[in-house]
Structures are given as C-alpha cells and as structure tokens.
Amino acid sequence: MAERLQNFVDGAWRTSNAAQALDVLNPASAKVLAEVPLSTAKDVNDAVEVAERAFLEWRRTPVVDRVQPLFRLKTLLEENREDLSLAITNECGKTLAESKGEMQRAVENVETACGMPTMMQGTNCEDIASGIDEHMIRQPLGVVAAITPFNFPGMIPFWFMPYAVAAGNCFLLKPSERVPITSQKIFALVQRAGFPKGVVQLVNGGRDAVNAILDHPGIRAVSFVGSTATAKYVYSRAAANGKRAQCQGGAKNPVVVMPDADMEMTTRILADSAFGCAGQRCLAASVAISVGEARPKFTEQMMATASRRKVGYGAAPDVEMGPVISAESKARIEGLIAKGERDGARVLVDGRGRKVEGFEDGYFVMPTVLDDVPPDAETARTEIFGPVLSLMHAGTIEEAIALVNGRSYGNMACIFTTDGAHARRFRYEVNAGNVGINVGVAAPMSTFPFSGWGESFFGDLHAQAHHAVEFYTQTKVVVERWPKEWSRKF
Ligand code: NAD
C-alpha cells in the first residue's frame, strides 16, 4: 500500500484527521507514489492554534536571529537539490533539468529574504514639526498562509515562506494535493534548519482545507497561486473575512515576432517557452503573433522545432519535455485542439494520440502548433496549460499590440525584435505585468516582484522581494514629542 503523507505541525510530523485521501500519481507512468490526506478544518485549526502561540515568541526574536534558520535552509536545499528535483519530476512530470532550475529559484528567494534586517527597515523624519519626530516601523501580521498550485511544487512555496517568517510571522503551507511529496521533503529540511516549533507548518489537503484557511479568524493574510477561477474565489472569500490577500491566477501569454527578429534565436527561445514544462507554466508562450514578413520563416522554423522535441519520462537522458499532470488534463488539452480545428485553425503539428515507448500509460501530449487561429476562438483566449502554440498574424506592430491588449489576462507579453524603437513601444504600451524583450519566459528574479496584471492577479502587492515584505508587515507610525528636551536652552 502507498505511504500516507503527513502534516507538519508544532515541529513534528502528525497524522491528519482526514477520513478521505487521494492517490498521488507519477504522470509519466500513472503509478501511485503516495496517498495524500484531505485534511479537515480541525487539522487547520490545530495548526493555527500552535502558530498563534509560536508567534508570541517569534515576533520578539530579533530579525537578525530570525534569518539564521533561513541561512541553514538554503544550505540544506542546495545539498539536497538532486533529491528534491527528482521528487518534482516524479510527481509533476517536468524534466530533471527543469526541476533543478525550479529549485534554484527557490534558493534565490531564501537568499533574498535573508536580507530582511535591511528590507523591513522603516523610515523616519526628525523635526517633522517643531520638536516632533515621526517614525514608520514595520511589524509582522501574525499567522499567514499560502495555497499553492501543482506546476511548481518546489519553487512557489518559497515565493512566500522565507519572507513571511523572516518578517516575524508564523506560516502555514497548503500545497497542491496533486504534488504533495516535494513539500514533505522540503519540510524534512525545515525541521533540520532549526526554526522554533510552530513557526513553519504544513497542512495537506484540498478544498476543505482551503476553506478552513479562508474562514479562520486567526489567519491574517492569504497568498494564493493557481487558476483564475480559484484565485477569484480565494480573493473574495479572504477579503469577505477581513484578510489581506494576494492571488495569482492563470495566463494566456502572447508573443510578438517582428520581421527584423533573429529567427534562429527566436524560434529556439519560443519553443522552450511554449513547450518547456509541457506548457504547464503561467509564463508559457501560448500565442505567437508574427508581423508582416516574419510569417513564412517563423512558421516553418517553429514547425521544425516543435516536431523535433524529444518527449518522455522527465528523468530519462536527453528528454526535453515530460507529460502533462493528469489523464483529465490530457483529455482537456486534446479537446481544445479539436475545438480549435472546428473554429477554423489549421493543425500544423499535431501532438494528439501519441504514446511514449516504455511509458504507454503516461499522460503525454506532444508539442502542437496551430495556425490561423481566429482571435475570438477558444484556443486563442482560454488558458490551455499544455504544449500548444497558437499562431496568429498581424500586418503591423499596431495590430499586434492591439491583439496583445485585447485579452483579459496580463501575466506576460514578449516581443522578439532587433529594433529598439519597436521594443520600447511594446514595453510602454502592452497590458502585462511581466514583459520579455527577446526573452521567452520573463520570470522576475527574486529581487523583483512577480507582477501579473488583469485576470492573472487579484490584489495589489505581488509575490517576492519588497512587495512580499510589504504584504507580510503592517506599518505603524509613531509621532513623538519630548517637551523637556525641546524647551532646553542652547
Ligand atoms: P488550481 O486552481 O486547480 O489549484 C490551486 C490550489 O487551489 C490548490 O492548492 C488546490 O488545492 C486549491 N483549489 C483548487 N480548486 C479549489 C476550490 N474550488 N476551492 C478551494 N481551493 C481550491 O490550480 P492548479 O491546476 O493547481 O495550477 C495551475 C494554474 O495555476 C494555472 O492556471 C496556472 O496559470 C496557475 N499558475 C499561476 C502562476 C502565477 O504566477 N500567476 C504561477 C503558477 C501557476
């Protein structure tokens, strides 16, 4: 029987009260890896009570001491990178190289949060009025929680956790129930890093655990990453309960290819963006708009690159793309390709109905390229979250920017060009929070906020960097007068 995963509460592993559990599958083989409990509201409540007690001491711990367990965690993450990366590949499907890259981004966020003694400094102004000084200080909120998606189980928890705890909060993670094994491994390292009991906790589960988090009066702030529908739901329920919320949603990322672009570089980078992580990335290129004369060469090279990509089990040598997460996901992606065809698109490279030798039960969809996708077709507007690139064409950069801005999502938009004026105009005019110029996955490094817009983000302060510091702290302004000192004769 598969191992039943545990929660991590009060510095120790605990069995959930859950009556229900789900199988965790390897999407390359459909083999069961473990069983994840669907924790109850009582599990969440127990963890929050422990965290509330731990907060009383943790917020009084000097910030220079609070970052010490993070320094140790960074080293532990680096020492265990291979093991963590293999866990990601086995439960999430991406290639080992992609998993290692993911863990690198996790480590970078820990490093950035180690700068908290500087990052959470306040401001002051002496003599703001006669004999009056004013100070703004940052204080932690209390207990905070993060709810994370399946596609980056090793990285996304680190967009939040290091900043939250370094700022003096106690933190609860509810990872995706589809990829909970990576979190078990991360928390085994959290346990060794020396955080006081109750400061960092893990509760596995699905909707019930999420609702318990959203309704719990002891949780002050909620960070969420997942699909737009769930992001909206989490944002409104958290807000209705008086919590701070930052909710990152889905995406449909357009890329513009100008006739002056370096076509070899553009197609190589775009193939990595569209088909990397099997397209299951919120920063995956999903619609490529070629402008004017760029069309024939770009289309031909994109077809060749897509057809060449080696697909298989992510830990096998030379594999460039793994499976999608589940049988349902594969069926949905293949259904959307068929719908695109019915809506008038031409399937130039068809990734449907193919098997990988030795992994016949795996959820593989090969790279797919659709051409002449009508702007109003579902394929052009819906997040497919699979290895499907839709091609569109525009006569001018104005038309291309209009197509980019005619969509509801705003996670990322990219342009490929060698003309600085085109690049500047694009950067200036596009409605997207993350912009790539000759870059296919414009993922902000940990020292910058992850700036989604539109239907890709609900809230005002984003993940990472100084936005995270602001999100996890509340400001207190002190206006101060000492009459004896002020009336002193000089
Ligand atoms: P999802 O919305 O299905 O699940 C995300 C989390 O919400 C999980 O922890 C899940 O347990 C919980 N959840 C799901 N349905 C719920 C419900 N009805 N009520 C309460 N909780 C619920 O997302 P996913 O499929 O795991 O992840 C893929 C999505 O995440 C894609 O849309 C992708 O674009 C998005 N994503 C966005 C970013 C970003 O930075 N904007 C980053 C990564 C992924």
Side-chain angles (χ1 to χ4, degrees), residues 5 23-36 83-94 96 99 102 149-154 157 175-186 204 280 313-315 323-326 363:
L5 303 179
D23 284 342
V24 182
L25 304 179
N26 180 334
S29 61
K31 291 211 171 77
V32 177
L33 301 171
E35 193 183 69
V36 61
D83 183 44
L84 289 161
S85 302
L86 188 59
I88 295 172
T89 292
N90 281 337
E91 66 178 351
C92 183
K94 62 182 69 171
L96 212 43
S99 300
E102 173 174 349
F150 81 81
N151 64 330
F152 281 95
S176 165
E177 63 276 36
R178 291 192 271 180
V179 290
I181 297 170
T182 308
S183 298
Q184 297 277 301
K185 289 184 178 284
I186 289 170
N204 286 291
Q280 299 173 120
Y313 167 48
V324 298
I325 188 68
S326 63
Y363 313 130

Side-chain angles (χ1 to χ4, degrees), residues 148-151 174 177-178 225-227 230 248-250 282 383 450:
T148 53
F150 81 81
N151 64 330
K174 202 300 286 175
E177 63 276 36
R178 291 192 271 180
V225 182
S227 58
T230 322
Q248 299 183 211
C282 67
E383 180 177 44
F450 194 105

